Amino acid sequence: IQFLVIHNDASLEHAILLVDLKNVFSMQLPNMPKEYIVKLVMDPRHRSLLLLRPRPGVKTTKQPSESALEYEVVGGITWRPFYAQRFGEVAFCAVSSSDQVKGYGTRLMNRLKEILKDEAKENPAHTITHLLTYADNNAVGYFSKQGFSKDILLERERWYGFIKDYDGGTLMDCCLDNRIPYTDFPS
Ligand code: ACO
């Protein structure tokens, strides 16, 4: 199992991995229009964290960024950073059905928080203090366990109008703190 952060940067290997991730999202989020998922996953402003493993029976020779077809996408998170507002919107988060409830969803979210912390350390202009998401009602439990709350502590003027309102979703907020180690365990 390995993690990789990519976006649509005109690399063919990344495009292959993003299409695979889009397929995981479409399978796991059947009520979300497929065209909308493609639009956001392929939008160059969105970032995606992928959870990958070698395809069954394949002995990998290269890293996923060099040989995408050797790997399968187990799950991922697509988010859009709004650096000027210092928040990120989690657009999609999913794990393939046969791999759910094994802890991968938790590892993905912890890894994302750690990535955002590292990015802020490298470039303070990229500091993100909150993650917002419109959680599907059946995913509210998962997001609550990841530190998201229905109480939106982020000031309204920092997010209102920047993210789209979804019918049937519950807006949830997670405060990030650069003093917290989010992946202080083998991942
Ligand atoms: N409702 C309530 N609790 C849940 C749910 C759920 N739907 N899914 C997982 N959990 C709980 C688990 O029981 C576990 O609890 P525990 O720590 O007490 O054991 C905890 O959340 C974490 O479980 P993981 O195994 O880490 O999570 P998993 O790998 O299954 O990933 C995810 C969770 C991403 C929600 C996955 O189940 C999934 O892909 N679901 C379908 C797609 C989906 O609903 N995605 C979110 C839509 S909203 C959005 O994308 C913005």
Side-chain angles (χ1 to χ4, degrees):
I1 280 284
Q2 57 179 284
F3 294 95
L4 179 70
V5 177
I6 55 174
H7 67 283
N8 188 0
D9 58 0
S11 138
L12 175 61
E13 305 301 315
H14 290 174
I16 292 170
L17 293 170
L18 289 172
V19 168
D20 287 352
L21 176 65
K22 177 271 291 176
N23 289 336
V24 173
F25 289 152
S26 316
M27 289 289 285
Q28 297 309 317
L29 301 166
N31 297 328
M32 196 58 81
K34 286 188 173 43
E35 301 71 27
Y36 182 66
I37 298 177
V38 179
K39 188 176 147 200
L40 297 198
V41 172
M42 292 301 174
D43 173 78
R45 294 168 300 189
H46 281 74
R47 301 279 173 272
S48 293
L49 169 64
L50 283 71
L51 186 62
L52 300 162
R53 71 174 158 225
R55 285 192 185 281
V58 172
K59 193 164 178 336
T60 56
T61 54
K62 292 179 181 156
Q63 289 301 307
S65 282
E66 280 144 25
S67 190
L69 293 173
E70 294 182 353
Y71 294 84
E72 69 178 348
V73 175
V74 178
I77 299 179
T78 292
W79 79 99
R80 178 170 170 191
F82 289 89
Y83 292 122
Q85 316 303 119
R86 289 185 294 129
F87 81 91
E89 179 189 10
V90 171
F92 308 115
C93 166
V95 171
S96 299
S97 43
S98 52
D99 285 299
Q100 286 176 10
V101 205
K102 294 179 180 173
Y104 291 142
T106 302
R107 285 169 67 178
L108 273 164
M109 194 57 75
N110 283 334
R111 183 54 69 111
L112 172 60
K113 292 174 183 173
E114 207 58 41
I115 288 165
L116 297 177
K117 251 172 62 180
D118 287 349
E119 215 187 314
K121 252 186 244 159
E122 270 170 38
N123 181 357
H126 282 185
T127 300
I128 279 177
T129 62
H130 288 256
L131 282 174
L132 290 188
T133 195
Y134 270 101
D136 272 13
N137 289 334
N138 58 11
V140 168
Y142 160 76
F143 281 105
S144 299
K145 285 181 176 158
Q146 310 311 316
F148 286 71
S149 159
K150 292 180 190 177
D151 294 330
I152 310 303
L153 297 180
L154 181 66
E155 304 87 320
R156 190 177 160 86
E157 58 273 19
R158 265 171 69 190
W159 62 268
Y160 190 75
F162 287 89
I163 63 175
K164 273 191 218 71
D165 209 348
Y166 289 99
D167 278 351
T170 303
L171 186 62
M172 297 183 81
D173 180 11
C174 176
C175 304
L176 301 179
D177 188 323
N178 60 15
R179 294 163 302 181
I180 297 175
Y182 292 108
T183 54
D184 205 6
F185 45 84
S187 57

